[in-house]
Amino acid sequence: MTEYDDLTAFANWYLTNRPLMPPPVAITQYDNMTGICLYRSGPYQVQMFTAKPNSSAPSHIHPNVDSYELYLSGDLDFVIDGIFYSHEQIKQAPAPVRIFPHYWHEGITGNEGGCFLSIQKWLNNKPPTCVGDDWVDIHGNKVGNCPSKEKD
């Protein structure tokens, strides 16, 4: 994380302190992915996601969310703004990857499934919810419709 801004400052603070401050409803489920909100205050939120084995999320954006994604475990690969990040690469240099609101990205898991943290700043006066509720994908699905699919 080389660029300094308020999301970067929040991400550094959260990763140093790791407070737990979930909202009353903290768990969301989308087909092959479960999200748990660990922290929410103002426009900032941290969610932990687990993805089932051999699954994927189609290329998509979150138009009202600026975030860092931090790999935690499993065989979870990311494609972010056209760049492929394998879980093996990420394990060797574990650092959050920035996903700006206009960056198309996707996740693909192997036999182990995967787990990652999403450290977010919500934009445009949108109150934080699950990022799956702020979604536009390559198939034309819009905000509030977060599909995912099992890989064949």
Side-chain angles (χ1 to χ4, degrees), residues 49-125:
F49 287 96
T50 60
K52 289 182 180 178
N54 301 309
S55 63
S56 66
S59 188
H60 62 280
I61 59 172
H62 305 285
N64 297 295
V65 181
D66 189 5
S67 69
Y68 282 105
E69 308 304 313
L70 177 64
Y71 167 90
L72 295 176
S73 67
D75 53 357
L76 172 65
D77 302 327
F78 293 107
V79 178
I80 301 170
D81 199 34
I83 300 171
F84 179 79
Y85 296 88
S86 76
H87 60 280
E88 290 301 329
Q89 283 176 295
I90 297 168
K91 282 181 193 178
Q92 292 176 10
V97 178
R98 186 76 174 258
I99 300 183
F100 291 99
H102 61 281
Y103 277 13
W104 289 88
H105 56 284
E106 62 186 290
I108 305 141
T109 64
N111 291 333
E112 296 177 21
C115 183
F116 65 98
L117 279 184
S118 180
I119 303 169
Q120 309 154 7
K121 179 182 180 187
W122 284 66
L123 309 171
N124 306 316
N125 295 316

